[in-house]
Amino acid sequence: MQAVLASDYSFAQFQYLRRLLLVHGRWSYFRMCNFLGYFFYKNFAFTLVHFWYGFFCGFSAQAVYDQWFITLFNIIYTSLPVLAMGLFDQDVNDQNSLRYPSLYKPGQQNLLFNKRQFFLCTLQGVTTSFLLFFIPYGAFSAVVKEDGSNFSDQQTFAVTIATTLVIVVSVQIGLDTHYWTAVNHLFVWGSLIVYFAILFSMQSYGLFGLFPNNFPFIGAAYNCLSEKGVWLVILLTTTVCVVPGLVVSFLKVDLFSTLTDKVRYLQQSRKRHGPQEQSLRRVRRTSSRRSGYAFSHQQGYGELITSGKNMRRSTVSSACSLEKTTNGSNWIGNVLKRKNEVSCSSQEFIAAPEGNSSATKTPRQQRTD
Amino acid sequence: MMPTSYEDGHISVSGAGGGSMPGKKPENTAFKQQRLPAWQPVLTAGTVLPAFFIIGLIFIPIGIGLYVTSMNIKEFQIDYTGVDMSSPCYNCSQNFSWNSSRPCACSLPFYLDQPYDSNVFMYYGLSNFYQNHRRYVKSRDDSQLNGNQESLKDPSKECEPYAWSSSKPIAPCGAIANSMFNDTLELFYNDPNGSKVQIPLTATGIAWWTDKHVKFRNPGGNENLPAAFQGTTKPVNWHWPVYELDSDPENNGFINEDFIVWMRTAALPTFRKLYRIIQRKNNMVPTLPRGNYTLEVVYNYPVRSFDGRKRVILSTISWMGGKNPFLGIAYITVGSVCFLLGVVLLIIHHKYGSRNNIAT
C-alpha cells in the first residue's frame, strides 16, 4: 500500500506492464522529444532576430517586435498547438506499438533527443531567425507603399517580421505533428486567427485612445498588411524557412528509414487497403496465451531462457509463416515471429544459438520478457 | 488474460487490490483512450516532390513579374551632402553650426535622361542615421502628440533630456522631434529656351491617414495654435516653434505632415522619407520631361559630424511600391532552387530511396 502511494505508476498485474511500456511509455518519450525540439527551435527563431538586428541598430538593444507581441508570443500565439502535439501525437497507433516491440528501441538508445538533435534544432532556429530578419531587411531597405508614402519604418518592419514568425512556426508545427486530431486542427488554426484578431484590435483606434503611451503601434497593422508587397515578403520568407527542414525530413525517411517509418508507412497503406488481413491473424493468435500470473508465482522461465533452447532458429518457424509454435517458446517466439513480419529476411532477427554469444542482442531480448 | 493487440485499450492502472475498482476506471471514450479520429500524414515522395515543383512553378513567374515591374520604375538619386570640395554644397556643409541664423543655400544641377510619367515622388534620404537606436525610439511622448493637455504641460520622463528648456516644457518633446529634418528642397526645370520654371510640389498627402487623423492631434483643435501652445517652448534645435511649421492651418502644429513623417522612425540606418509629391498634370504631358534641372537646397541639417549622407530621390511608383529589385530576384532564386531541389530529390529517390515494402 505504501509502495503504491510512493510510486509514479502502480498496477496489479504484470500483463499491464506491456501496454504501459510499449504503448504509453513509447508515446510519452516520442511526444516529449518532439515537444522539446520544437520548443527550442521556436524560441531561438523568435529571440535571435534581435541579435541580427543589433548589427543595424547600433547594438542598442532595440526590440524588433512590438512589446505586446513579445509578451503574448509564448503565452497565446504558440502555446496551444505545441500543447496539443505534446498530448495527442502518436507516430504509430497502439496496436502496432504492441505488435512491433522493436519500436521501443529508440527510447532505450536515446535517439530522439540527444546532443546531436539539440544541435540540429538550434541550428534550425538560428537559420530561421537569420532568414526571418534578412529577407524583410532586403525587401524593406527601399520600399514604399502603393501611394508612395513611407513604408520602411520600425513599426511596419515589426509587424511584418512578427506575422512571418507566427506563420513560420505554425507551419513548422504542422509539419512536425504526426497525428492530426480535431483538437490539433482547432489549436493550430485557432492560434493563427487569434494572432490576427489580437494584432488588429491592439493596433486599432480604441485602445490607443485609452492608453496612447502603451499602444503606440496604432494603424501599423492595417497599413502594413494591406500592402501586397508585404504578403509577398511573408510568403517568400515562410517558404524559405520551411523548405530546408522539409528536405532533411524527407531524405531521412527516404534514405535512412527507421522501423518507425516503415511501420507508419505500413499503417497508412493498411488503412487504405482495408483491414481484411487483420481479422485472419486475430483468430490464429488467440490460441497463444500465457499465464496471467506473475512469474514469481511459479518457477519461472529463467532456466529456459538461459539455456537458449527457445531461441534457436529451428524452434521458430521460418520467415513469414503463420504457424503457431509449441508451448515452450510461446511469447518470446511470437515476438520473434512478428519481427520477421516486419522485414522478411532482415538481420534484426535474433538467432543467438546458445547462451549469450551474440553479446548485445540476446540480453536485450531477455529484457523484454 | 492476455491483452491481445485488438483489445480495446481500457486497461486501467489502479491502486492496490488487483483488478480495477469500478469507480477508478477511466472512461472508455475516444478522447480519454487516445483513439480520436485523426489524419496521419506521412512524408512520401508522392507528396513532397510535387510540392517542390509546384513551389518552383509558382515562384518563378512571380519573381519575373516583380523584377520586370521594378525595372520599369524610374528613379534618380543625387547626393547633396557636400563631401567633395567640388560639390556646390561643400561650403554649406563645412562652416555650419546650430546657432547660425544665416541660412546657407546651394544649388545642384542635374540631368534627367528619361521623362517621368504619372505622379513623381520626391524623397530625402539619410545614411548612417540611426533612427532605430533604442534610446532615440523611446524619446517621445505619444499622449502629448495626441493633444493631451496634461502631457503638453508636463512631458513624459522618456523625453529627457529634451523635455524642459529654460524651465518651460518643450512641445513636441523628445530627441526624435528635436532632430527633425529641416532642409528646404526646391526643384526647377531649365527650359530649353533658358528660363527656369519652378516645379510645384505638394506637401500634403505624404503621411499615413491614421497618423494624421488619429495619432497626432493638436491640443485644443486646429484653430489658434499660438494660444494653445502658450507656456511651452520650441525644441532646442528648431529654428521656429511648432505652430509656425506651415501657414496652412490643416498642416500646422503637431499635424504638420513633414513632422509626422519624421516622427515615424525608420527601421534601418539608411532610409528615405517622403518629402513632396509632384502631381501629374495630365496624361499627355510627362510630369517631369527629359532635360536639365536644378535642385535648390537651403542647407540647415548637419550630417557631416557623424559621417552621414543626405540625398534627394525622385521616383515613380507601381503597385509593389518603389524600385526594389531584391524581391524579384529573391523569388526567382528561391523558385529555381526549389525546382532544382525537386529534380535532385527525384533522382536521389529513384536511385537510392528505400522501398517501404514491409511484408503485407
Side-chain angles (χ1 to χ4, degrees), chain A residues 280-347:
Chain A
L280 260 174
R281 291 173 192 264
R282 187 192 192 124
V283 171
R284 290 190 187 249
R285 227 202 306 276
T286 46
S287 56
S288 58
R289 299 149 63 101
R290 72 173 174 85
S291 155
Y293 286 100
F295 288 146
S296 57
H297 287 206
Q298 53 188 76
Q299 193 197 357
Y301 298 99
E303 272 197 41
L304 181 65
I305 296 166
T306 47
S307 70
K309 251 200 285 184
N310 59 324
M311 299 220 197
R312 284 199 201 112
R313 206 182 260 272
S314 53
T315 40
V316 184
S317 322
S318 56
C320 307
S321 90
L322 295 175
E323 290 168 352
K324 63 181 164 100
T325 59
T326 58
N327 273 339
S329 50
N330 50 38
W331 186 65
I332 300 163
N334 287 331
V335 163
L336 293 174
K337 257 202 311 213
R338 271 175 231 137
K339 278 208 179 112
N340 275 336
E341 287 161 6
V342 171
S343 46
C344 284
S345 54
S346 113
Q347 303 306 312

Side-chain angles (χ1 to χ4, degrees), chain A residues 30-88:
Chain A
F30 171 74
R31 287 167 186 161
M32 194 60 66
C33 296
N34 262 5
F35 166 86
L36 266 179
Y38 176 78
F39 226 87
F40 278 117
Y41 155 77
K42 168 175 71 113
N43 279 298
F44 275 112
F46 170 64
T47 315
L48 286 178
V49 175
H50 295 102
F51 171 73
W52 305 114
Y53 192 49
F55 290 100
F56 299 95
C57 71
F59 297 100
S60 61
Q62 167 65 23
V64 172
Y65 313 114
D66 185 8
Q67 291 297 322
W68 291 102
F69 178 78
I70 295 178
T71 312
L72 295 175
F73 178 72
N74 270 322
I75 299 176
I76 298 186
Y77 301 148
T78 54
S79 62
L80 290 177
V82 69
L83 187 72
M85 184 176 89
L87 289 177
F88 297 110

Side-chain angles (χ1 to χ4, degrees), chain A residues 208-227:
Chain A
F208 174 74
L210 292 173
F211 307 105
N213 276 331
N214 290 332
F215 294 94
F217 270 64
I218 172 169
Y222 174 72
N223 279 299
C224 170
L225 294 179
S226 56
E227 285 293 308

Side-chain angles (χ1 to χ4, degrees), chain B residues 26-339:
Chain B
E27 292 160 33
N28 190 13
T29 61
F31 179 74
K32 291 207 175 166
Q33 298 298 330
Q34 303 188 49
R35 280 194 317 259
L36 286 169
W39 171 51
Q40 290 174 288
V42 174
L43 274 183
T44 57
T47 47
V48 172
L49 295 178
F52 278 113
F53 288 123
I54 290 175
I55 292 177
L57 287 176
I58 292 181
F59 275 24
I60 294 181
I62 294 180
I64 293 177
L66 285 171
Y67 189 71
V68 166
T69 313
S70 175
M71 285 293 119
N72 283 337
I73 295 173
K74 303 186 189 91
E75 189 184 89
F76 180 80
Q77 293 195 25
I78 178 166
D79 184 315
Y80 70 93
T81 322
V83 180
D84 292 324
M85 291 219 5
S86 57
S87 163
C89 293
Y90 177 72
N91 289 333
C92 283
S93 70
Q94 288 297 98
N95 46 5
F96 187 84
S97 73
W98 278 114
N99 292 330
S100 162
S101 51
R102 174 186 55 84
C104 181
C106 51
S107 79
L108 291 97
F110 62 93
Y111 178 75
L112 277 184
D113 54 1
Q114 294 180 65
Y116 283 38
D117 300 310
S118 182
N119 286 346
V120 178
F121 294 81
M122 186 168 165
Y123 302 89
Y124 61 88
L126 290 170
S127 302
N128 208 30
F129 191 107
Y130 284 77
Q131 264 205 329
N132 55 10
H133 193 284
R134 192 177 62 89
R135 293 297 308 278
Y136 183 92
V137 170
K138 270 185 4 170
S139 181
R140 64 192 288 157
D141 186 351
D142 283 315
S143 55
Q144 185 189 72
L145 294 169
N146 197 31
N148 186 302
Q149 292 286 357
E150 291 96 42
S151 304
L152 185 69
K153 300 294 193 291
D154 184 19
S156 120
K157 287 270 180 311
E158 302 287 338
C159 285
E160 297 285 335
Y162 298 99
W164 295 85
S165 162
S166 51
S167 66
K168 277 187 173 178
I170 298 180
C173 76
I176 310 180
N178 188 47
S179 57
M180 178 169 151
F181 183 78
N182 51 10
D183 278 357
T184 311
L185 305 163
E186 282 174 359
L187 215 49
F188 292 88
Y189 174 53
N190 298 346
D191 235 337
N193 58 14
S195 60
K196 254 173 109 166
V197 177
Q198 178 161 26
I199 296 174
L201 303 172
T202 317
T204 51
I206 58 177
W208 289 6
W209 190 95
T210 48
D211 278 354
K212 173 138 184 162
H213 293 96
V214 183
K215 191 169 183 184
F216 290 78
R217 313 257 72 213
N218 276 323
N222 294 342
E223 318 303 324
N224 202 359
L225 285 178
F229 284 100
Q230 190 80 28
T232 67
T233 177
K234 67 173 179 62
V236 172
N237 289 117
W238 282 23
H239 294 299
W240 38 75
V242 70
Y243 48 83
E244 286 175 19
L245 282 175
D246 195 339
S247 47
D248 179 359
E250 289 298 316
N251 198 27
N252 201 5
F254 287 151
I255 59 174
N256 174 271
E257 299 211 18
D258 286 321
F259 175 67
I260 294 177
V261 162
W262 181 257
M263 292 300 286
R264 184 152 280 284
T265 51
L268 300 168
T270 303
F271 58 89
R272 58 172 72 170
K273 288 184 185 284
L274 185 56
Y275 181 67
R276 295 286 185 267
I277 302 177
I278 306 172
Q279 305 280 3
R280 65 159 181 256
K281 300 189 202 86
N282 55 45
N283 283 339
M284 301 295 121
V285 182
T287 317
L288 289 182
R290 189 209 307 232
N292 285 311
Y293 289 83
T294 313
L295 175 73
E296 301 273 342
V297 175
V298 178
Y299 198 109
N300 292 319
Y301 203 68
V303 296
R304 294 290 305 275
S305 54
F306 53 87
D307 226 5
R309 295 285 181 271
K310 297 191 286 186
R311 58 191 192 285
V312 167
I313 301 133
L314 290 166
S315 164
T316 56
I317 57 162
S318 72
W319 62 270
M320 54 161 270
K323 191 181 189 68
N324 192 3
F326 173 82
L327 211 56
I329 295 177
Y331 261 91
I332 294 176
T333 313
V334 171
S336 352
V337 165
C338 272
F339 198 84

